[in-house]
Amino acid sequence: TPKTILVTGGAGYVGSHCVAELLDHGHRVVVFDNLRQGHVAAVPPEAAFVQADLADEAALARVFAEWRFDAVFHFAALSVVGESMRDPHAYLHGNTVTSLNLIRAAVKAGVMKLVFSSTANLFGSPKRIPIDEDEAIDPGSPYGESKFMIERALHWADRCHGLRSACLRYFNAAGAHPNGKLGEDHSPETHLIPLVMDAATGKRPHIEIFGDDYDTHDGTCIRDYIHVCDLADAHLRVLDALEERSVRYNLGNGTGYSVREVISSVERITGRSVPVKIGPRRPGDLPVLIASSERIRRDLGWQPRFPDLDSIIAGAWAWRSAHPHGFRGLAAAAE
Ligand code: UFG
């Protein structure tokens, strides 16, 4: 049966791919986004769009009064690890206050299901790789800490009010929607794959590798890159699971690639060579993050449809090369 879903941050990278997945399944979507990082051109015409900030409690109250939501998908947040090391307050305050406002408004309106965009940065000192849900929580940065604080708020919202939540700890979201309409476009861009593609096309002079003296096979950091559409698929599956209880899942492919391996893949896919410079380590970075997603595979039958790095990067490249100016170029073209 079609549901009505409030999607905060629905104009952003992961949020917009989840909106597409919800619409493809016949659900109704209301996007709530302040457009600080999101793009209006990423919101499809079939979705309702409210431009507002979660800090604005009156705007939130109006949205909950206007629609009867079955659930909330909560993506809106600051999400850059390095930035959070320079400005911890912006993250510890900004991400939590907005989320607390949202949780209170949802409970008040009787909307008792929430799917939350959490992070692998919760696992700052993993004892076992791949990292499963039993790993100790020890956030690697103020960003990760802010996500953990929200996970705790959701825990108590369940205990005290019966708000069922799913905390999905994403590893590294990557790739673009196969429909060609959505992709990754941050400003400023800080993420490895888009930056390496820009170095391949000459839009940037080189890619700087943040440290090549980590204790890994080639000295560079290892990450688990998961296709955004596989993340989106997981969101729809947990929505059904929330009928019964709150859940937490780690979401990745279960395979790690080093920064150098990502660069090689971009070179293979684009057929161009990427100039590289070695720089210092970036504060807040963890050497190895690889997910075990056995629990969501077992419980909900989730499995990645795009597990292979080259195919994830090929999709990212298809979007990036078709839209060299990202959504900005698209908005301009439409005018
Ligand atoms: N990197 C470089 N050079 C760059 C950019 C990145 O060497 O110019 C390296 C980073 O040091 C890191 C890897 O590439 O080792 C990936 O970096 P990203 O910035 O693309 O992603 P992060 O791993 O820092 O963070 C991402 C999300 C976070 C999330 C985290 C979970 O942005 O929101 O994955 O693993 F918390």
Side-chain angles (χ1 to χ4, degrees):
T1 50
K3 297 189 167 103
T4 305
I5 313 290
L6 175 64
V7 184
T8 77
Y13 175 45
V14 183
S16 63
H17 285 77
C18 282
V19 167
E21 185 84 5
L22 284 165
L23 293 171
D24 285 347
H25 283 77
H27 298 300
R28 287 175 294 264
V29 172
V30 178
V31 170
F32 188 104
D33 198 301
N34 63 9
L35 296 183
R36 258 172 68 191
Q37 298 158 86
H39 308 276
V40 72
V43 181
E46 304 83 51
F49 176 54
V50 177
Q51 183 179 352
D53 196 294
L54 290 173
D56 180 350
E57 293 177 75
L60 257 178
R62 281 197 298 276
V63 169
F64 277 97
E66 190 172 346
W67 282 278
R68 272 194 66 83
F69 297 115
D70 297 289
V72 177
F73 282 15
H74 179 33
F75 300 96
L78 301 175
S79 65
V80 179
V81 171
E83 183 186 54
S84 81
M85 297 296 286
R86 292 189 298 274
D87 189 357
H89 179 82
Y91 279 72
L92 296 172
H93 176 268
N95 282 351
T96 55
V97 168
T98 50
S99 299
L100 293 173
N101 285 346
L102 177 66
I103 293 167
R104 183 168 54 187
V107 167
K108 202 168 160 209
V111 180
M112 292 306 207
K113 293 194 190 98
L114 190 149
V115 182
F116 175 55
S117 174
S118 189
T119 177
N121 196 267
L122 255 44
F123 307 112
S125 49
K127 278 161 210 65
R128 269 173 311 156
I129 301 285
I131 300 167
D132 66 22
E133 291 79 1
D134 295 327
E135 183 57 62
I137 304 235
D138 179 18
S141 68
Y143 163 68
E145 189 73 47
S146 73
K147 292 285 181 172
F148 184 51
M149 289 161 78
I150 301 160
E151 288 203 5
R152 295 306 298 166
L154 288 167
H155 166 81
W156 289 109
D158 185 351
R159 287 276 296 272
C160 306
H161 300 298
L163 176 82
R164 301 279 178 262
S165 62
C167 295
L168 302 182
R169 288 83 169 256
Y170 312 158
F171 283 60
N172 286 59
H177 202 288
N179 73 11
K181 293 180 185 164
L182 297 171
E184 183 166 13
D185 177 12
H186 299 99
S187 176
E189 188 56 75
T190 61
H191 294 90
L192 181 65
I193 292 173
L195 289 175
V196 176
M197 291 190 298
D198 283 354
T201 59
K203 203 168 155 194
R204 288 172 193 269
H206 59 263
I207 182 75
E208 180 175 343
I209 296 181
F210 296 146
D212 68 348
D213 58 350
Y214 285 97
D215 186 16
T216 60
H217 66 89
D218 66 12
T220 66
C221 288
I222 292 178
R223 293 289 180 272
D224 179 336
Y225 295 89
I226 174 167
H227 198 288
V228 263
C229 292
D230 287 325
L231 289 179
D233 175 35
H235 285 70
L236 269 80
R237 288 171 190 264
V238 298
L239 188 55
D240 296 328
L242 288 184
E243 299 294 343
E244 311 207 344
R245 61 187 176 94
S246 291
V247 292
R248 303 190 304 272
Y249 292 117
N250 293 356
L251 277 176
N253 277 318
T255 312
Y257 293 95
S258 71
V259 173
R260 285 193 189 280
E261 286 165 341
V262 169
I263 295 170
S264 303
S265 171
V266 171
E267 290 183 320
R268 269 195 303 280
I269 299 297
T270 62
R272 306 173 194 209
S273 67
V274 173
V276 165
K277 265 175 81 169
I278 307 299
R281 292 183 177 195
R282 185 173 66 178
D285 270 347
L286 305 169
V288 182
L289 287 171
I290 302 171
S292 163
S293 295
E294 286 313 310
R295 188 182 284 181
I296 190 168
R297 287 174 187 259
R298 201 182 53 226
D299 289 358
L300 306 180
W302 174 84
Q303 56 175 38
R305 292 169 290 180
F306 310 92
D308 156 70
L309 181 68
D310 277 1
S311 67
I312 293 175
I313 290 183
W317 173 241
W319 195 79
R320 194 89 175 172
S321 47
H323 308 289
H325 305 291
F327 289 104
R328 208 153 29 94
L330 275 179
E335 274 161 18

